Amino acid sequence: MEFLGVGAMEALLVLVVALIVVGPHRFPEIARQGGRWYAIARRYATEVSKDVRGAVEELQSEIEEEGEDLRAIRDLGQEMDADLRAIRDLGQEMDADLRASKLDVEEVGADTARAADRAGGAASSNGPSAQPPAAAPAEAAGESGATPGAPDATSRATSNDDEPAR
């Protein structure tokens, strides 16, 4: 057992030297004072040790709280990452749908242009009074009430002899 780095043999040596230096008459009085100082030192060491333990426990609890906060932040980050991935996937789906829609619109536009060309070609084959292809859809729209630029039902009927209707 050691106290402040002093072992049992060292303490015994100090007592023997003190007995020789002080003498047998004053030794009991000095031993009582030494005992008091020893008790005071012991209480002080115990108090300091309790304070240090309390500070360590307080630091540990703060570290645990910070760890819980960091875990909560990590969980939130993971949730946000999952949400961002879902948003990215949704954006990719929307982009693919938009591209498909553009292709559909382009196909409809191409079909409309082919139908207009066929309608213009059919009108020119009817005789010398036919209009140029650019003017034919506008006149047909004016006569039948169809939307401008779209082929009307009569021109379609004449040009669809070779092809089945869509």
Side-chain angles (χ1 to χ4, degrees):
M1 169 177 135
E2 287 190 14
F3 179 72
L4 299 175
V6 178
M9 291 304 285
E10 294 166 343
L12 184 61
L13 180 64
V14 169
L15 287 176
V16 170
V17 170
L19 179 62
I20 294 172
V21 171
V22 176
H25 299 303
R26 291 193 55 205
F27 185 74
E29 181 182 325
I30 291 177
R32 275 192 293 273
Q33 282 183 344
R36 284 187 208 128
W37 284 106
Y38 178 76
I40 290 172
R42 189 91 166 158
R43 274 186 257 136
Y44 178 74
T46 304
E47 187 177 322
V48 168
S49 144
K50 284 180 183 176
D51 288 344
V52 168
R53 283 187 195 123
V56 167
E57 289 173 1
E58 184 178 326
L59 287 173
Q60 278 182 326
S61 67
E62 287 179 15
I63 289 171
E64 288 173 1
E65 288 175 8
E66 293 296 324
E68 290 172 8
D69 291 344
L70 290 174
R71 281 188 287 278
I73 290 171
R74 183 189 66 213
D75 293 343
L76 181 62
Q78 290 173 346
E79 289 174 11
M80 289 177 65
D81 188 41
D83 290 345
L84 288 174
R85 285 182 183 157
I87 290 171
R88 185 188 67 220
D89 293 343
L90 181 63
Q92 289 174 348
E93 289 175 16
M94 291 176 69
D95 189 40
D97 290 346
L98 180 63
R99 288 183 182 158
S101 296
K102 280 185 177 180
L103 291 176
D104 290 345
V105 167
E106 289 173 359
E107 287 177 13
V108 167
D111 290 346
T112 304
R114 281 192 294 265
D117 288 344
R118 278 184 259 152
S124 64
S125 67
N126 285 340
S129 64
Q131 296 289 330
E139 271 187 25
E143 293 172 9
S144 66
T147 57
D152 63 354
T154 58
S155 65
R156 220 184 247 168
T158 59
S159 66
N160 288 339
D161 294 339
D162 298 333
E163 250 181 86
R166 288 191 175 197

